[in-house]
Amino acid sequence: MGYYLVPPVYRPPSEAASLIFQVTLGCSHNACSFCVSYKGKKFRIKTWPEIKADIEAAKVFYHNATRVFLADGNAMVAETGLLLKVLDKLYHDFPYLERVGIYARANDILDKEPEDLKKLHEAGISLVYYGLESGSDRILKMVHKGATVAQIIEGGRKAMDAGLPLSVTVIIGAGGPELSEEHATATAAAASAINPAYLSALTMLIPEGSFMDRKLKRGEFKLLTPMQSLNELKIMIEKLSLTNCVFRSNHASNYLPLKGTLNQDREKLLAFIQRGLANPDLLRPEFMRAL
Ligand code: SF4
């Protein structure tokens, strides 16, 4: 059998050049109201013989791979023993491998013992992609995140205490215009409490057919205007308190691409947002925004 992936396959933008292996198919939660990524995909954890066969087939063609991403939605939900076998084989079969990234939900981390997380770090998981989305419990409930702010902070801190670097995402516009200020303030507080190595802001885009899409069509939810999005981002950046955290809003969903290190680049980022607020021509046009 050859190396193949079961579609659809998603990976973070920064893993665009990575070789992908599916440890799981779909997402064990599969309920976030803004997400249709795995709606038609029945969740399951792949077996070790299946994953082993994928790795053996891929190494024939991609022997020089330096980066691997473990998919699908939250591969960290897999049992630690399975993940350790996968990592061991990856670093053995790909001699140039430098890093392995993975998606995780709060419960995936909270369900593991600190020693297991340490073992995963030592075995070569080098970046955990972790969705905070919002620091407001009201908004997390509204988007069916399936975790509270306290759980997400606890999970994030637990992973970092085990040595696992985190890349945290937040969603601009997750609370709509009515909860914009609450979202900005609470999300800045929660992200600061985690204090990850990387923080990315995406801007809410609602896929056709999602629960949020139905709410939008019924008039029960509103998207932020580009200017409201920038204002929300501005408040968030003003209130973040981070240590050497690489902040990005360069995802294709955003109106303005920002990149800097927080807190040290705060003033530079705020000045750039201010320029965007004063000059809407600088913003990414609506038709070029994408997930
Ligand atoms: S956890 Fe991620 S993949 Fe799963 S439903 Fe939520 S946004 Fe989608």
Side-chain angles (χ1 to χ4, degrees):
M1 282 224 296
Y3 163 67
Y4 75 99
L5 295 167
V6 181
V9 179
Y10 298 92
R11 44 99 194 116
S14 49
E15 299 285 346
S18 302
L19 182 59
I20 298 177
F21 290 104
Q22 288 170 312
V23 170
T24 55
L25 297 180
C27 165
S28 67
H29 180 54
N30 212 9
C32 295
S33 62
F34 53 86
C35 173
V36 290
S37 300
Y38 303 109
K39 279 294 174 229
K41 202 169 185 180
K42 193 170 177 318
F43 175 77
R44 80 173 173 93
I45 299 172
K46 287 175 79 172
T47 63
W48 169 236
E50 286 176 297
I51 305 167
K52 189 165 166 260
D54 286 344
I55 296 173
E56 282 171 2
K59 76 177 178 192
V60 177
F61 301 102
Y62 305 105
H63 183 71
N64 294 338
T66 55
R67 290 175 167 208
V68 161
F69 179 69
L70 299 178
D72 275 343
N74 56 325
M76 188 67 119
V77 75
E79 191 207 320
T80 305
L82 175 65
L83 290 170
L84 290 174
K85 276 199 254 187
V86 172
L87 291 162
D88 187 49
K89 183 150 182 71
L90 285 172
Y91 280 97
H92 176 269
D93 288 7
F94 295 95
Y96 303 102
L97 187 57
E98 288 166 4
R99 55 174 259 190
V100 176
I102 190 167
Y103 276 133
R105 300 186 67 246
N107 285 345
D108 306 339
I109 294 171
L110 293 175
D111 286 349
K112 291 193 185 337
E113 295 299 325
E115 295 69 38
D116 287 345
L117 295 170
K118 274 198 193 101
K119 282 183 198 161
L120 290 170
H121 165 57
E122 284 159 12
I125 288 197
S126 18
L127 195 53
V128 177
Y129 295 89
Y130 191 64
L132 163 62
E133 330 305 8
S134 175
S136 154
D137 273 323
R138 193 149 56 136
I139 297 171
L140 288 185
K141 213 167 167 189
M142 204 168 90
V143 301
H144 305 164
K145 180 70 186 161
T148 63
V149 177
Q151 287 169 326
I152 299 176
I153 295 173
E154 191 189 341
R157 294 297 319 168
K158 189 174 171 184
M160 287 174 54
D161 286 348
L164 291 163
L166 284 194
S167 177
V168 169
T169 51
V170 300
I171 304 180
I172 301 297
E178 270 175 37
L179 300 180
S180 181
E181 184 136 9
E182 171 179 329
H183 176 54
T185 306
T187 304
S192 304
I194 300 173
N195 199 16
Y198 301 91
L199 179 66
S200 304
L202 279 66
T203 300
M204 184 66 119
L205 271 174
I206 299 187
E208 189 77 25
S210 62
F211 183 84
M212 285 298 256
D213 181 42
R214 294 196 287 282
K215 279 185 91 166
L216 192 70
K217 285 174 179 153
R218 289 197 300 265
E220 294 165 13
F221 182 78
K222 282 197 177 69
L223 288 166
L224 299 189
T225 64
M227 290 298 142
Q228 286 171 331
S229 299
L230 284 192
N231 261 318
E232 189 173 289
L233 184 60
K234 179 171 168 274
I235 299 171
M236 215 178 273
I237 291 179
E238 280 168 352
K239 293 182 184 288
L240 280 167
S241 175
L242 300 163
T243 317
N244 290 328
C245 172
V246 175
F247 174 82
R248 294 190 193 105
S249 75
N250 54 1
H251 186 268
S253 64
N254 292 312
Y255 291 105
L256 201 61
L258 298 179
K259 187 173 177 201
T261 304
L262 287 171
N263 291 340
Q264 47 269 55
D265 292 337
R266 189 197 312 275
E267 293 314 317
K268 192 183 85 184
L269 295 175
L270 289 174
F272 195 54
I273 294 177
Q274 204 53 52
R275 283 216 300 278
L277 284 166
N279 184 1
D281 290 346
L282 287 178
L283 308 190
R284 178 179 273 131
E286 207 61 52
F287 73 91
M288 285 181 70
R289 294 177 63 224
L291 278 174

